[in-house]
Each structure stands twice: as C-alpha cells, then as structure tokens.
Amino acid sequence: MWKKIVLGGALFIVLAVSALLGTLALRSPAMAPPSNIEVQRTPERVARGKYLFEVLSSCADCHSEVDDSRFGFPVKPGGLAKGKVFPAASGLPGTIVPSNLTQDPETGTGNWTDGELIRAIREGIGRDGRALFPLMPYHEYRYMSDEDVQSLVAYMRTLRPVRNALPKTKIQFPVNLLIKGAPQPVGTVASPDRSNPVAYGKYAARIAGCQFCHTPVENDQTVEGKDFSGGHSFQLDKGVVVVSANLTPDPETGTGRWTEQQFLDKFYQYKEYAEKGSPRVAITENTIMPWLGLAKLEPDDLKAIFAYLKTVPPIQNAVETKPSAAKTAPGGK
C-alpha cells in the first residue's frame, strides 16, 4: 500500500517537473518589437557614448579582447569591441560569448538597426529574439535614459569594422531555460536630474553596474536587503576568485569613515596605469573591478556616486576581497 503511494507520488513529481520544463522550453522571453528609431549621430552624443562605453558602463571590458596578464585586464591594441569568448575556467554555466560590437556587417552589428541595439542593451533581447545571458547587465541598463542609450548607439556606429567570427553562446541546462524570465520590455526613460547629486549618483551607480557586482548572490539571485554590502564572488581562473567590497557606509566594514577625497583617490590612483599601461601581475593579484576605465570617471560623477552611497543602509559585512591571493602568499593557507 505504502509502496504504491510512494511510487505514485514520485511519478507525480516527475510528471510535474517534466511539464514545468516543457513549459519553460517553449516559452519565449518577454519582449517588445524593436523601435524604428534612427539615432542622430551628433558630436555631443558620440562623445557621451564613448564615455559610457569605455568608462562609466564598462562595455569595452566584456566586449573586447584583453590582456589577462596585466593588472585590470587592459584592452589589447586592435581588440576594442571585437568580442571574445569567456574562458571555461571562469566558472560560467556554459560558453558565454560577448558579441562583436564593431560595425562589421557579417560578424558584428553592422546590419543591426538602432532599435535592435537599444533593445539588446536595455532589455536583454538579441536580434534573433533570444534572451541574452544576464552577465550582460541589462537589468541595470534598463534604467539608462533614452538620451544616454542613444548616445551609446551613436558611438558604437563609429567603431571600425573588425571581422571576428565567434561561436554562439551556449548556456547549460537548466540555466538556458531560467534566463528566459530575465528580459523585460522598457518604455521611455527620462534623463536624470544632474543638479541633484544623490539622484544622479544613484543613476550613475546603476548604469555602472555597481549594485549587481557589490551585492551578495545566493541561488543565482542577488540577496534582497543586502545591496552594496559586498561579498559577490567572481572566478577569474580555476581556483582563483575575487570578492566585491562592501560599499555601504558601515564604519567598520564598509565606507562609513571614508571622505569624499579618499573615495576619489581610490579611483584616480590607477590613472597612470590607464594612460601609460598597467604592470604584469599574477592572476591571484588581479581584479574584475574595471579600475582602468573607472580611473577616467569625471570628478562630478564620482562625487555623485559617493553622495548616493552615503544614503544606502549601512550593513556590517567584512569581506576578504582577494582570498586566493591570501592562500598563495608566504605562510598562507
């Protein structure tokens, strides 16, 4: 009797899971048609777009060929925006391929419409209608203003075509099904109020991806109520991880005792590396933090981000940002 009940229950669970997976497999991500906008390529927009691409939103870091032997993973000469394949040792669920964003019509975005580019950036939908892997922070870029995303596209249209055929992203099961729920259509997004440092700082921190990288993650989701408290682990290589720092104004484990000038100095200490080239370092001493680009942030942007971070709830969370380096140091574990 009990054996029949157990077997029946197990069969029910198997059928229910199969039905759920079947539904997920057939489901398309939420999407709206791309707009038919044609972005006007003014000098002001191109300049702002370059700043977003290479500095504030760090698009260049993921979509370029980089030198992983040097601090900050600088872009290799000729490697800007040509795309790449993330190494298997990075621990990602499959083969993740940030695409070629140059204007090459066959292997890049030369044949994409402006509306398709905007939809991919802010909504996470590829030209073929697939959900983009959310390592691409479209959940943050959805807050990017219409003017800024158009500036980004205006700059991307100036990128010299580079032929670089790349494999398609292949995401492992069941992540390939689960990410279909990540994209969401985005309507009109107003420009932020630059006269309000806290409001603009919140905007800048969002489109820079600060919250995602500096919030702990459990079960592939950022932990609610722990925003900016650090502890998000990133795998640089097999057995080598870095962990994001606590940015909340906790006085003991965060930035509570930092002055505005100390915050600026933390970024600008890497200006020389950004301008003249960074030194070679062991992988255990490297970082996923895009210091080389962020060292070029405008002072007003950094000041606004600092003003905003002062307003987030302080959370006590002591973080060892380079645990792998500690293990390989003399006397380390």
Side-chain angles (χ1 to χ4, degrees):
M1 176 68 176
W2 287 108
K3 187 178 291 186
K4 288 183 178 180
I5 293 174
V6 171
L7 289 174
L11 179 60
F12 174 79
I13 292 172
V14 170
L15 291 174
V17 171
S18 297
L20 175 61
L21 293 176
T23 300
L24 290 173
L26 294 173
R27 184 180 69 169
S28 296
M31 71 177 82
S35 71
N36 58 4
I37 187 173
E38 292 186 13
V39 173
Q40 296 301 306
R41 199 186 305 170
T42 65
E44 294 77 16
R45 274 188 173 160
V46 170
R48 173 66 177 174
K50 178 180 175 67
Y51 179 72
L52 291 168
F53 192 91
E54 298 184 7
V55 182
L56 183 57
S57 294
S58 303
C59 309
D61 284 62
C62 283
H63 286 272
S64 303
E65 185 180 9
V66 300
D67 185 347
D68 58 10
S69 70
R70 296 185 179 277
F71 179 83
F73 300 100
V75 175
K76 289 183 177 180
L80 181 67
K82 67 184 290 187
K84 66 182 177 188
V85 180
F86 276 127
S90 60
L92 294 169
T95 304
I96 310 301
V97 185
S99 56
N100 181 347
L101 298 182
T102 74
Q103 287 299 286
D104 182 66
E106 294 182 17
T107 66
T109 60
N111 286 331
W112 287 50
T113 68
D114 292 346
E116 287 170 339
L117 285 171
I118 290 172
R119 186 177 68 167
I121 293 166
R122 295 201 301 191
E123 301 178 21
I125 297 293
R127 194 185 191 203
D128 56 3
R130 65 186 171 89
L132 301 180
F133 185 65
L135 186 62
M136 160 75 174
Y138 50 86
H139 38 78
E140 305 282 6
Y141 294 165
R142 66 183 289 108
Y143 298 101
M144 189 177 287
S145 71
D146 294 351
E147 180 58 35
D148 271 351
V149 76
Q150 289 179 42
S151 295
L152 192 53
V153 170
Y155 170 68
M156 288 169 64
R157 293 304 193 196
T158 70
L159 293 170
R160 181 179 61 85
V162 176
R163 182 172 177 79
N164 186 33
L166 295 164
K168 289 186 177 181
T169 289
K170 291 184 179 179
I171 304 169
Q172 295 169 356
F173 174 86
V175 179
N176 62 330
L177 302 183
L178 297 176
I179 67 167
K180 290 184 179 183
Q184 294 294 327
V186 175
T188 298
V189 182
S191 294
D193 180 5
R194 285 179 173 264
S195 67
N196 182 332
V198 172
Y200 180 67
K202 181 177 182 178
Y203 172 81
R206 270 179 168 168
I207 67 171
C210 305
Q211 185 169 342
F212 173 71
C213 284
H214 286 271
T215 300
V217 170
E218 292 179 2
N219 300 319
D220 297 322
Q221 296 289 330
T222 52
V223 180
E224 190 173 350
K226 295 292 184 71
D227 295 348
F228 297 104
S229 66
H232 190 160
S233 295
F234 298 88
Q235 188 164 318
L236 296 184
D237 202 351
K238 188 175 181 180
V240 179
V241 298
V242 292
V243 185
S244 61
N246 184 347
L247 298 185
T248 74
D250 177 68
E252 301 299 328
T253 64
T255 60
R257 296 181 180 178
W258 288 37
T259 65
E260 179 184 79
Q261 189 59 52
Q262 286 174 320
F263 188 74
L264 268 64
D265 289 345
K266 180 65 177 176
F267 288 80
Y268 292 152
Q269 68 177 316
Y270 298 108
K271 267 191 171 182
E272 187 173 356
Y273 286 179
E275 294 169 357
K276 299 180 181 179
S278 59
R280 293 185 179 277
V281 293
I283 189 67
T284 53
E285 294 294 339
N286 221 323
T287 175
I288 199 169
M289 178 74 170
W291 289 118
L292 302 181
L294 296 180
K296 301 174 185 177
L297 278 167
E298 295 291 341
D300 285 348
D301 282 2
L302 270 177
K303 290 176 182 179
I305 292 171
F306 183 70
Y308 167 62
L309 290 175
K310 283 291 188 184
T311 70
V312 306
I315 298 172
Q316 190 170 56
N317 185 32
V319 177
E320 185 177 11
T321 58
K322 293 184 178 179
S324 300
K327 290 178 181 177
T328 57
K333 297 179 180 179

